[in-house]
Amino acid sequence: MTKDTIFQSGNGGKHFEFNREVAEVFDDMLSRSVPFYGHVINMTGRILAGSLEQEGLVYDLGCSTGTTLITLAGQLEHLNLSYIGIDNSAAMLEKAREKTAQTPFKDTITFQHGDITETDLQQADAIIVNYTMQFIRPADRANFIKRLHNSLKPGGVLIVSEKVIAKDQTLHRRFTDMYLDFKREQGYSEIEISRKREALEYVLVPLSRDENTKLLQRAGFTCVETFFQWFNFVSFMAMK
Ligand code: GEK
């Protein structure tokens, strides 16, 4: 895994982009920037194992380098599932295809290049949107989730993980401090942390846990629960 050193040098105040440079170090970046990343994938697998039938279709929207689908295909090998990952970064998908080609799952996992707010989805049994809705314009999120609801079969499962803001200012600051400590413990320097924060401003726009829950409920999901939270990172499960 190539080490993420992107923000060790200045990036000239540019906004964060999912380009080739980022794709190259993305797996290291994510494992050092998203607390309990591997655990969330593992819990997602457990949820799908308990909800899916023997056959089915699973989407991963904002699939990046394919880590989630490759891990799930291993964890759910006893089921006969097909997996589709969609991302609008060609560089991410190139990595995803390279990684998948080295696994036994090259026939079950496919990738599509596209904007997940516009791409037509087939009727699916499960949809995963991990750490990606936060990059969609807030005004577009209600429609986006409605589309996911329409694409799921009755009984289908939606998994959404997001960075969130705490509604109370003091708690928000405390949670943010916890996250900064996490990044320092992962070996990121103060300057790297602050440059990335600046680059992500207006690009990654988190909502609160309740706002996300309401979006899911308003889109028609009757059962919505959080199954994991680490300070300002939350994973939701919703069923149609
Ligand atoms: C993981 N889920 O490993 N259409 C398609 N792709 C998009 C869009 C869009 N409108 N907006 C952003 N992306 C992954 C991690 S990363 C999270 C997801 C992060 C894609 C973008 O290209 C990137 O690959 C991904 O969403 C977000 O669990 O970097 O914090």
Side-chain angles (χ1 to χ4, degrees):
M1 197 158 31
T2 313
K3 190 166 183 207
D4 166 26
T5 57
I6 288 181
F7 291 96
Q8 282 182 7
S9 49
N11 79 331
K14 277 194 302 233
H15 286 311
F16 187 82
E17 275 178 36
F18 293 101
N19 55 22
R20 183 163 299 278
E21 189 191 13
V22 168
E24 217 38 67
V25 300
F26 188 75
D27 289 356
D28 179 63
M29 177 186 277
L30 220 64
S31 66
R32 293 201 290 138
S33 305
V34 177
F36 292 90
Y37 174 68
H39 289 267
V40 170
I41 299 178
N42 182 277
M43 285 183 268
T44 301
R46 285 165 192 264
I47 291 170
L48 299 195
S51 339
L52 298 182
E53 304 288 332
Q54 185 61 31
E55 311 229 324
L57 172 63
V58 178
Y59 273 108
D60 184 14
L61 307 184
C63 63
S64 302
T65 64
T67 305
T68 301
L69 290 186
I70 293 169
T71 309
L72 290 181
Q75 208 176 335
L76 303 173
E77 221 173 348
H78 58 290
L79 301 177
N80 191 14
L81 303 174
S82 323
Y83 302 90
I84 302 177
I86 306 182
D87 206 287
N88 63 358
S89 161
M92 289 287 187
L93 291 182
E94 199 179 306
K95 278 265 152 211
R97 291 191 176 109
E98 258 171 49
K99 278 168 60 180
T100 308
Q102 289 163 28
T103 71
F105 312 120
K106 43 187 172 299
D107 296 328
T108 45
I109 306 179
T110 52
F111 294 99
Q112 287 175 17
H113 184 250
D115 185 329
I116 55 173
T117 61
E118 290 169 2
T119 308
D120 283 331
L121 303 177
Q122 300 169 42
Q123 287 289 290
D125 299 273
I127 302 179
I128 302 160
V129 196
N130 279 350
Y131 316 107
T132 296
M133 207 162 71
Q134 57 201 22
F135 293 104
I136 293 174
R137 272 193 343 129
D140 295 339
R141 290 184 200 177
N143 261 342
F144 170 65
I145 302 180
K146 188 89 201 114
R147 285 167 69 94
L148 305 187
H149 186 265
N150 288 340
S151 305
L152 276 171
K153 294 181 190 159
V157 183
L158 173 65
I159 304 285
V160 177
S161 300
E162 288 278 285
K163 194 171 185 184
V164 297
I165 43 171
K167 278 192 280 187
D168 178 84
Q169 287 275 332
T170 309
L171 281 187
H172 181 63
R173 269 199 302 276
R174 287 207 189 150
F175 282 16
T176 305
D177 287 344
M178 298 285 181
Y179 182 54
L180 293 181
D181 281 344
F182 170 84
K183 299 256 307 193
R184 289 179 193 119
E185 282 160 17
Q186 300 300 315
Y188 284 114
S189 67
E190 300 304 318
I191 190 78
E192 281 178 285
I193 293 172
S194 77
R195 280 183 183 141
K196 181 152 186 209
R197 218 172 154 177
E198 249 171 62
L200 280 174
E201 207 168 350
Y202 308 115
V203 176
L204 189 168
V205 184
L207 302 178
S208 71
R209 195 185 60 184
D210 288 351
E211 284 167 332
N212 279 300
T213 301
K214 285 204 183 87
L215 277 176
L216 292 162
Q217 287 168 335
R218 286 198 193 117
F221 288 99
T222 41
C223 20
V224 180
E225 289 289 343
T226 56
F227 64 90
F228 181 74
Q229 175 158 8
W230 185 92
F231 300 107
N232 53 347
F233 285 81
V234 177
S235 296
F236 303 85
M237 170 186 179
M239 274 174 49
K240 178 164 174 180

